[in-house]
Amino acid sequence: MIARVNVACVCLLAALTSQAYADVSFNTDVLPILKEHCIDCHGPDVQESKLRLDSIVGALRGGDSGEPVITPGDSVRSHLIERISQTNTK
C-alpha cells in the first residue's frame, strides 16, 4: 500500500510542480492518478471527510477542513501532497 501511495505522490508532485504547470491538465494528467489511488474513497459514491477528488472543483473546494487540497503550481501549499507524503496515516 505504501509503495502505491508513494508512486501516486511522485506522479502528483511531478504534475503539480512542473515548471510549465499551466500546461498540466487536471483531466488528463492528474485525474487518472486520482482515479487509480483516491476515487474509491473520495469520489461520487463515497466522500470520506466530505472530500471529492473526481473534479478540480471538488479538489479546490476541499473537504471537512475547508482548505483546497490542491494548490496549482505550488505543491508546498498543496494539502494533498502533504497528506499522501505522510508515512503514518490515521
Side-chain angles (χ1 to χ4, degrees):
M1 176 67 169
I2 294 296
R4 290 183 67 204
V5 171
N6 287 339
V7 168
C9 180
V10 169
C11 293
L12 280 170
L13 276 170
L16 295 172
T17 61
S18 168
Q19 291 274 341
Y21 91 91
D23 294 334
V24 174
S25 163
F26 179 82
N27 288 332
T28 10
D29 302 316
V30 177
L31 188 56
I33 298 165
L34 296 176
K35 281 183 178 179
E36 185 174 342
H37 298 280
C38 309
I39 298 299
D40 287 345
C41 298
H42 301 287
D45 298 325
V46 176
Q47 298 90 39
E48 288 184 13
S49 300
K50 298 180 183 172
L51 174 63
R52 284 187 71 165
L53 295 175
D54 58 320
S55 72
I56 188 67
V57 172
L60 292 175
R61 181 180 306 125
D64 285 341
S65 72
E67 292 181 46
V69 295
I70 294 175
T71 305
D74 191 357
S75 65
V76 173
R77 295 182 52 129
S78 292
H79 190 63
L80 180 63
I81 298 300
E82 178 185 330
R83 294 294 297 188
I84 65 174
S85 298
Q86 295 175 349
T87 55
N88 184 15
T89 57
K90 297 177 184 173

